[in-house]
Amino acid sequence: MKFPSNLPCSAVLDSLADGVFTVDRDWNITFFNEAASRITGIPAKEAVGSKCWDVFHSSLCDGDCALRSCMKDCGRISNKSIFFIHADGRKVPVSISAAPLVDAEGKLIGGVESFRDLTDIQMIRREVEESWRFEDIIGKSAQLGKVFSILPQVSKSEATVLLLGESGTGKELFARAIHNLSERKHGPFVAVNCGALPDNLLESELFGYKAGAFTDARKDKAGRFELAAGGTIFLDEIGDMPAKLQVKLLRVLQEKTFEPLGAVQSVKTNVRIVAATNKNLAELVEEGNFRQDLYYRLNVVTLNLPALKERVEDIPLLINHFVNRLNALQGKEIDGISEDTLHILMRHPFPGNVRELENILEFAFILCPSGFIQVEHLPEYLQPQAKDTAPHEDTPLTMDEIKCIAVRRALERNNGKKMATCRELCISKDTLRRTIARCENIDA
């Protein structure tokens, strides 16, 4: 079917719901359809003839122009999330697509860009997100929904809870939720990482000691069990607890008593225990590395926390949650992430789970000054050109390693000038100096 000869192209473009405009090679707007006027609040007669950056004031007008990129490389860009400033001064989130504009001889004569208003979509998304929040845990997946459905009943009981899940799945968040939903919510919540402390120190940290128990024990010190009286104690990495302490913990569970180091009398305790591990405790029991009786005492109620790769649909919700939190913490106004960036994150396997996602966004906040987080703001191992060759794709980076990458890239961009690097990253000179020193230790 031929295009009707009596139908002007501008009439077709004016009938679209999306805004469309074209520019010549000098960035003067040559066409501005009706939807563009409606979305921007600027009449077409004012826009046509003006420089495009004077009309839009978008988050890309400061040097990362999508049209400029398309016209330079003769490529196309689609579904890139940005914002521009409306005529009334408010920020309008839009999704843009851009392409070069060529004449009948194939000569470049400018560019064309379409944009879709995302304001209503973002408002609906924010309202829906609130309905998918359970305490501080975000998710709508069926796997997480199963845990949410039984968490209130589990919390109301006094049963010991064992949380199983990979590193970074948010086991402490679930432990806090159990505490906050329980009758003990007005009592203390005390968290202990059993794998982070040496054996002797762990014993004194958990159970405390009496003056004279050892050389430096000049006065009594309360342990975490005593500090958690009336509340909940969270024992993370319980699978790393040494055998000697497993016996003492078993007694706490059975007798509700313990003995501080150097004490001659037992102390009663009123503490609910929530334990967690990323190890297979049943296998540790078979291997003789974990007491069977303690395992069954801990395993009264077991909650299996799904890995992030098992609940991919939760990734956009978590991203919005972390963006909002980082905005509040860092005083920035990041609007979210672009659609192509979201596609990359949705395909990533996340061996480091939610913690890795949080680290990625914290890294992106360092490089992204405002607007939407773009692909170039992601860590190098997530960049499309590095994705196929990354030697450690399945290995999550630590926060220090991610910061080192950000600092090195910023130094390269600023030709090694430290003050310029500090200004770009919004960090002090001392922070940059300490970060460089840590990077050198990591490389050593």
Side-chain angles (χ1 to χ4, degrees), residues 60-98:
L60 297 184
C61 288
D62 57 356
D64 193 21
C65 174
L67 270 176
R68 184 186 299 277
S69 175
C70 291
M71 291 163 64
K72 179 183 177 183
D73 302 328
C74 292
R76 296 172 183 272
I77 289 176
S78 59
N79 298 323
K80 193 178 185 74
S81 299
I82 66 166
F83 71 84
F84 65 78
I85 305 300
H86 190 271
D88 61 10
R90 63 186 167 87
K91 291 165 72 173
V92 179
V94 292
S95 173
I96 65 168
S97 297

Side-chain angles (χ1 to χ4, degrees), residues 19-78:
V20 179
F21 72 95
T22 60
V23 296
D24 61 20
R25 298 185 64 173
D26 293 323
W27 311 106
N28 299 307
I29 292 179
T30 53
F31 175 76
F32 208 70
N33 77 342
E34 290 182 2
S37 294
R38 186 180 66 253
I39 297 172
T40 62
I42 298 175
K45 60 182 180 182
E46 289 185 22
V48 173
S50 302
K51 298 294 184 186
C52 55
W53 53 76
D54 288 334
V55 172
F56 289 99
H57 304 286
S58 85
S59 52
L60 297 184
C61 288
D62 57 356
D64 193 21
C65 174
L67 270 176
R68 184 186 299 277
S69 175
C70 291
M71 291 163 64
K72 179 183 177 183
D73 302 328
C74 292
R76 296 172 183 272
I77 289 176
S78 59

Side-chain angles (χ1 to χ4, degrees), residues 74-132:
C74 292
R76 296 172 183 272
I77 289 176
S78 59
N79 298 323
K80 193 178 185 74
S81 299
I82 66 166
F83 71 84
F84 65 78
I85 305 300
H86 190 271
D88 61 10
R90 63 186 167 87
K91 291 165 72 173
V92 179
V94 292
S95 173
I96 65 168
S97 297
L101 202 59
V102 296
D103 61 15
E105 286 75 38
K107 181 182 175 184
L108 179 70
I109 59 172
V112 56
E113 184 171 310
S114 65
F115 53 96
R116 178 168 299 174
D117 189 353
L118 302 178
T119 303
D120 291 341
I121 295 174
Q122 287 209 348
M123 288 181 63
I124 294 171
R125 186 179 294 168
R126 276 197 288 271
E127 291 173 2
V128 172
E129 282 170 4
E130 286 303 313
S131 66
W132 289 328

Side-chain angles (χ1 to χ4, degrees), residues 108-161:
L108 179 70
I109 59 172
V112 56
E113 184 171 310
S114 65
F115 53 96
R116 178 168 299 174
D117 189 353
L118 302 178
T119 303
D120 291 341
I121 295 174
Q122 287 209 348
M123 288 181 63
I124 294 171
R125 186 179 294 168
R126 276 197 288 271
E127 291 173 2
V128 172
E129 282 170 4
E130 286 303 313
S131 66
W132 289 328
R133 176 189 292 269
F134 191 94
E135 290 286 308
D136 286 332
I137 307 163
I138 310 292
K140 63 172 183 176
S141 61
Q143 293 87 342
L144 208 55
K146 291 179 183 175
V147 181
F148 287 169
S149 66
I150 62 172
L151 209 54
Q153 296 94 313
V154 170
S155 302
K156 295 297 180 187
S157 76
E158 281 290 303
T160 301
V161 179

